[in-house]
Amino acid sequence: MPIDTVHACAPVLDFLQQARAEMFAGRLDTCAMAPDLRDFESTYTQGKGLMLAAHEPALGIVGTIAWRAYDHRFAQLDFAGRRVVEVVRLYVRPARRRRGIADALFAALKEQARAQGIEVLYLHTHPFLPGAEAFWQRHGFEVLCRDADPQWQTIHMQCAL
């Protein structure tokens, strides 16, 4: 299964909008385009980020993963001057799950991160996303903290490279 760098938003936009609707329906306006997708080029293709997509010949895109520059928006986190990126947009089509696609996408992303001298991968997830926390822990992430807000219950995680 080929995994390629995505250089333009068009090939993945519908895929990512559908993923967003599935994961966050009822929690946010999934019809509106997320800021990182609206500003795809500056977020993912101009040296600040990276997006990868897995393809299958008959289906097209079956999974994505990305990183973007970490913007320090969570005051409780302190990465002490280390080179940090935020892992985002991991999504695999439901019919293609449990086939190693997410593992392969993350391995490719991690390899790219190491090659670019990134020191820490940061991400956040939520308990309402089935299997997410366990997946990331299997891949070397540790929980930094958990937010107590009732809607999101955000779980902040990191993986040192």
Side-chain angles (χ1 to χ4, degrees), residues 10-153:
V12 298
L13 184 59
D14 288 341
F15 180 83
L16 291 171
Q17 283 293 97
Q18 178 184 0
R20 191 166 183 256
E22 179 185 320
M23 291 187 288
F24 300 114
R27 294 179 187 272
L28 52 80
D29 178 5
T30 59
C31 294
M33 190 176 300
D36 66 314
L37 298 179
R38 192 174 48 245
D39 301 325
F40 186 89
E41 287 186 19
S42 65
T43 304
Y44 297 113
T45 66
Q46 296 176 352
K48 300 177 194 173
L50 173 76
M51 179 165 288
L52 301 174
H55 305 268
E56 288 186 8
L59 296 172
I61 296 172
V62 295
T64 58
I65 193 169
W67 84 55
R68 61 185 179 205
Y70 178 64
D71 62 6
H72 305 281
R73 69 188 178 281
F74 299 107
Q76 71 271 37
L77 304 178
D78 179 13
F79 291 109
R82 296 181 287 171
R83 188 153 183 235
V84 180
V85 294
E86 182 175 359
V87 177
V88 295
R89 303 282 176 208
L90 175 60
Y91 182 77
V92 174
R93 285 183 191 266
R96 308 316 282 169
R97 293 181 183 160
R98 300 275 184 215
R99 298 171 189 229
I101 296 169
D103 296 324
L105 283 163
F106 178 67
L109 186 90
K110 190 174 180 180
E111 181 180 318
Q112 290 276 345
R114 283 189 170 136
Q116 293 190 31
I118 292 167
E119 298 171 85
V120 178
L121 299 174
Y122 161 79
L123 63 83
H124 65 268
T125 188
H126 309 281
F128 59 81
L129 298 173
E133 182 178 359
F135 172 85
W136 293 116
Q137 286 176 326
R138 278 195 320 275
H139 288 283
F141 281 78
E142 63 181 343
V143 174
L144 296 170
C145 61
R146 296 171 190 269
D147 292 349
D149 68 278
Q151 181 180 12
W152 294 99
Q153 301 173 345

